[in-house]
Amino acid sequence: MDENDMIDEEEYEFSRNYFLAKESGKSVKKSSAHKVSELNLADEQELRAEVSNIEPRHEKEIALLINSYKKLYNEWVFELRYGFGILMYGFGSKKTLIEDFASTALTEYNVIVVNGYLQSINLKQVATAMAEVLWDQLKMQLRSASGGTSRDQQPFNSRSMDDLIAFLDEPHKTENECLVCLVIHNIDGPGLRDSDTQHLLARIAACSHVRIVASIDHVNAPLLWDKKMVHVQFNWCWHHVPTFAPYKIEGVFHPLILAHGGTSQSVKTASIVLQSLTPNAQSVFKVLAEHQLAHPDEEGTCLTFSVFKIHHVLGDIWYD
Amino acid sequence: MAVCSGSLIRVGKVPFPFYVLHKASDCQQRVKKPVGRSSRKVKVNLSASLATSDEGEMQDDQLHENSRMKNFHNAWVKIESTIKDVLHNINADVFNEVDSWVHKSFDSICSNGKPDANKATCAYPIVTDVTAKQIFTALVVMNNMEFVDDLQTFADLGTHLQSHGCHVANLSSVDFSVKSGIGGCLRSLLRQILSSSIDVADISVLASWYIEHDNYKHPVVVIIEDMDRCSGPVLSDFILMLSEWVIKIPVILILGVATTLDASKSILTSKAVQHLSPSKFFLGSPADRLDAIIKAVLVKPCSGFLVGHKVAGFIRNCFLRQDGTLTSLVRAVKMALVQHFLMEPLSFAVNGLLDEESEESTSVAEAWPKQAFDLPSCSRRLSEPKSEVALDGPSKMIEVMNLWSCVVLCLHEAGKKQKTTLLDLYYEALDPKLYNLRHSDHLELKPDSQRPSWIQGINGTSSKMQKGGLIGQTTRQVRDLSPAALLQLVEKWSKQTDGFIEIHEKVKELQLQEKIEDDTLKELANRSRRQTIRNSGNLDRSTKTLNDKAAALISCMTRDHMQPIECIPFHEIVCFKNVDKLQAALCGDPRRRIQLDLLECHNFLKCSCCGKSSNAPSSSMHDTTLMYTLAQEHGDLINLHDWYQSFRAIIFQKTVKERHRMKVSPSPKKRKMTAEPQNITEASVQARFCRAVTELQITGLLRMPSKRRPDFVQRVAFGL
């Protein structure tokens, strides 16, 4: 059959390319033994400053391209409504596009955004937030329907993940469809990439009150899911929406390749140490760092922070 | 947690891992829901392609959009319920078998003594007899490597057993993971049986619950849908634990196994296997299920929605080559349905069409809307000079489609002996080219023959259709059938064609002839053996003629009545043909598409600064696309130094060019334009290089330098 031939041809082409690349790789390696250190590299701080000041290019075209997807919003809403999950892929940051879609076309839904490009994401907290917004909506509907007060619920943050999923999935008798839309930037991001998290996300996505909109950037992202997840739980509807917008926020946590190895290693090490802390300790560090960033001109570094000052800055966290 | 509407919340420069973007708007609370969950007023505006200025027309459009959404909903509900019914019928026998086995097993356990309060209050049941620790276990063989299709089957089995009085818990391999351990599966079991949240994973809770009220009168059934994927040690522990408690809680296990009955032996410890008292049950084969669903959903037009030949081919290929699951096939049908009602503005006219129940009602419109006359299938028919202008209404379309499906099912009956799958037959029967070919062959043959038209097809030597193809093969197979098989087949045809006068009469005629032959055969059998031998040659000949006639009949049916949907005027209204759209929505291809985005960036950005025709590297290109284009010149390893140098050279290249142009051009405008690149510093180029590498790293197209090779990055993708 013609189609078979085409597939064979493609496979042949693929393996040929691979071996050619391997071959040329060897020859290049032989001839080119240049080292990065031979380059006249800028100081890391200067490099970082330059990275944050890179002049945007093709801005107009990128804006036009992102704008051109607006006409698809209605289709996406329709697909979401009828049980499909929207999965966006293509080169470029899709953060602006998805958030614009969620803010303009999904106003009827509760929308929760997860930044999957961050290193650590607590899905239990996400599920709790989802249950809370759903409960708020249900309460309002039940109140308006019965005219009285609705029954009380056990606080969601003390519930187990299974309970939260059961709540998001259980049928609630309401006048309108109550849905929570989970928007996940980079569902294939470092914080969500492991198998357990993906299974948990898939279980959440399969709940009757949940709809999911996600983006992927990695070419091998589909390998994260098995057939049950793809066909039954996420039920993806794929949309190819390249934006060519810079991965500004998504790339923040990647070390710069031309920066000295030592620093990137220390950033990595610091992030591992940070991840191992309890959420409360993490937030303490966060507040301290934010305070420092917000007051760059103030004298003294973190080390010379007075006890009084720390007390003042962290007061909200400790006494809340 | 921060709550805001529309804008990104960040504290300083660190974004929150998650936040509530907004809550459901109040306006939604006020929208009244009409009937059912999905039939609520769908506030989706699909009129982008139908922009009109006139207010009246806009109102019409709005009405049409609502009709489209309503039609979509009705069609999907119909398809969904049809699939449910089909699967229910297929599984009904096995389910009943399992149910009676469960009750027999329960009785057998109870014959050793019913659980009572005394036993339950005992800290631990004292069981000394090993045979009393046996757990009745049903091994349900799915005959399927892919368990995804059987998830629903086990859920249905659970519901079936529940409706017959059992306490049922449906567990899956997720509950039997090493991470969650025995506590995880026990918690899940308790949650389902006790219907409440239990924090303590303690089987004695279940034992206490079991003796309460009338609970002990019914068995506890634990269904594990995909045993092959469970963690062996956890499942073994679970079984050992249940076996200790089996007197108190008569648990009956139902284990789904993929293909082999030995699975339990290979997964479980021998100690656990000893406690199982297995029985075997077999679910219907995936091929049978596939045929039944194809027949009910796609061949018999149950929902007013059909797919074209190419789409059918895509669905078939997905099934045969990639996935092999019914779930993905049903998903593809749903996706096609969604895309059709989204894309086809005239799909509002589908209302009630092809719906068997609506045949008697008046809901089928008598004529197509006037816009439909602009459809290609209609205008093509109108432009044909010789054809009688047969632009019939929806009822005619229903008639033609029913005839088509009748012939396809007759062909399927004929091909069953040779294990012809309905999916293949369906795909070929939808081919408009084959249909046209059959017709042109028929027209070529017509003047030469004096035989009745319905015999022509089979004897037409030049018929291209007969040479190959499944339909041709199936037709030929009819000639080789034994008399008994032929008799059976014609009987099935007779049932199948009931209601289609034009075919049914011919089938009846054939049946009559068969009857005469049969009588002759009986008569011959009564005569002496010698005579029989003498006449057997005549008998063979007459049977052969009968086979020929049957083959000719099916051939004639194929030629005259199997008109594919794409050959019918106005088919665009009900038929989805956009295979590219369906493919793109169902199976994204990030590996290929992301690379293409990078290599053909100009197709998307359409900027004036970069070269339109070629993708040759230039400084105006998007940095990452430029870098990826440059990476193509390297092998699997890219020397960072070289890569940077070539990137840098291209970035500075323009500066030289522009300088040259500035010298040549006296225009002050051009001079102004060139001012920018001169500001490029080495550090800024390095920064751009770094960001481009980071972006390529995010896409997964690059592997970062390792300790062993600190000056090289590795390419991951080779070719598209």
Side-chain angles (χ1 to χ4, degrees), chain B residues 372-389:
Chain B
F373 287 85
D374 297 331
L375 289 170
S377 63
C378 176
S379 43
R380 194 166 53 233
R381 185 60 72 92
L382 284 169
S383 63
E384 280 172 18
K386 281 183 184 174
S387 72
E388 69 275 34
V389 187

Side-chain angles (χ1 to χ4, degrees), chain B residues 519-536:
Chain B
D519 290 346
T520 320
L521 191 74
K522 278 175 192 162
E523 205 180 309
L524 281 171
N526 292 336
R527 289 183 193 170
S528 69
R529 194 168 168 261
R530 208 174 151 190
Q531 275 176 312
T532 313
I533 291 164
R534 209 193 306 143
N535 288 328
S536 64

Side-chain angles (χ1 to χ4, degrees), chain A residues 35 37 49 69 118 141 191 195 212 234 238 260 266 275 277 288 301 306:
Chain A
K35 293 191 184 312
S37 51
Y69 297 129
L118 296 177
Q141 291 211 1
S195 165
I212 189 162
F234 286 125
W238 293 74
H260 298 295
S266 65
Q275 273 178 44
L277 296 175
L288 285 175
T301 61
S306 72

Side-chain angles (χ1 to χ4, degrees), chain A residues 3-4 7 14 17-18 21-22 24-25 29 32 34-36 38-42 46-47 50-51 54 57-58 61-62 65 74-75 78-79 81-82 84 89-91 95 99 102-103 106-115 117-118 120-121 125-126 129 133 136-137 141 160 162-163 175-177 196 208 211 217-220 222 226-228 230-232 235-238 240 242 244 246-247 249-251 254 256-258 286 290, chain B residues 1 6 8 11 15-25 28-29 31-33 37-38 40 42-45 69 72 146 148 151 179 191 197 229 317 321 323 327-328 331 334-335 338-339 342 581 584-586 588-591 593-594 597-598 601 604-605 607 609-610 619-625 635-636 639-642 644-645 683-684 686-691 693-695 697-701 705 711-713 718-719:
Chain A
E3 220 167 309
N4 274 335
I7 290 168
F14 177 79
N17 281 336
Y18 176 77
K22 275 274 176 203
S24 59
K29 206 177 156 189
S32 173
H34 291 122
K35 293 191 184 312
V36 181
E38 290 167 24
L39 296 169
N40 183 21
L41 293 180
E46 189 189 350
L47 203 57
E50 285 287 350
V51 168
I54 291 176
R57 310 167 84 212
H58 295 107
E61 287 84 2
I62 288 171
L65 185 63
N74 286 317
E75 283 184 29
F78 184 73
E79 286 158 358
R81 178 153 284 154
Y82 284 99
F84 286 100
Y89 72 105
F91 181 75
K95 200 169 162 51
E99 272 171 20
S103 326
L106 298 179
T107 48
E108 285 186 15
Y109 295 169
N110 300 295
V111 178
I112 290 186
V113 180
V114 176
N115 293 319
Y117 49 81
L118 296 177
S120 94
I121 289 149
Q125 287 176 359
V126 176
V133 288
D136 283 350
Q137 195 185 2
Q141 291 211 1
S160 71
D162 288 336
D163 283 342
E175 213 179 330
N176 290 304
E177 213 171 20
D196 286 349
S208 58
R211 295 291 183 271
D217 287 300
H218 200 285
V219 288
N220 292 332
D226 63 25
K227 281 178 191 168
K228 180 182 172 185
V230 169
H231 298 322
V232 183
N235 198 11
W236 292 128
C237 179
W238 293 74
H240 178 234
F244 294 89
Y247 288 102
I249 306 173
E250 295 93 328
H254 290 75
L256 298 177
I257 195 149
L258 295 181
K286 202 167 111 187
E290 278 157 10
Chain B
M1 188 199 325
L8 174 72
V11 178
F16 270 129
F18 75 94
Y19 57 90
V20 180
L21 182 69
H22 61 240
K23 292 191 175 185
S25 66
Q28 197 232 343
Q29 321 294 333
V31 177
K32 292 274 177 192
K33 183 182 178 185
R37 184 194 157 198
S38 308
R40 64 195 289 275
V42 182
K43 291 170 89 184
V44 181
N45 174 22
M69 295 308 103
F72 161 78
E146 273 304 330
V148 68
L151 294 176
K179 203 179 166 193
R191 170 194 293 278
S197 177
R229 291 158 66 102
N317 286 343
R321 291 196 192 135
D323 205 289
T327 316
S328 66
R331 193 172 111 85
K334 186 176 181 184
M335 186 69 85
V338 166
Q339 299 300 331
L342 275 173
K581 182 97 181 161
L586 274 178
D589 186 4
R591 203 177 169 87
R593 298 297 286 267
I594 291 176
D597 293 346
L598 288 165
C601 127
F604 299 95
L605 290 179
C607 55
C609 51
C610 306
S619 63
S620 64
M621 274 169 89
H622 186 289
D623 284 345
T624 316
T625 63
D636 65 334
N639 182 283
L640 273 171
H641 178 282
D642 295 353
Y644 172 72
Q645 289 296 3
S684 72
Q686 285 176 13
R688 283 165 67 179
F689 180 83
C690 286
R691 195 173 69 184
V693 172
T694 303
E695 293 197 334
Q697 193 192 348
I698 290 172
T699 60
L701 290 168
D711 298 303
F712 291 88
V713 286
F718 302 94

Side-chain angles (χ1 to χ4, degrees), chain A residues 25 27 33-34 66 96 112 118 139 149 161 171-172 182 188 191 197 233 236 252 268 296 298 300 302 315:
Chain A
S27 60
H34 291 122
I66 294 177
T96 323
I112 290 186
L118 296 177
K139 247 190 328 195
T149 50
M161 194 67 181
H172 299 282
L182 188 61
D188 55 346
T197 310
Q233 294 177 310
W236 292 128
V252 157
K268 206 175 167 188
E298 250 179 51
C302 195

Side-chain angles (χ1 to χ4, degrees), chain B residues 427-444:
Chain B
Y427 168 63
E428 202 174 301
L430 275 178
D431 192 348
K433 278 185 194 158
L434 272 182
Y435 174 76
N436 292 333
L437 199 65
R438 280 195 289 267
H439 262 250
S440 59
D441 280 355
H442 175 58
L443 291 175
E444 277 167 28

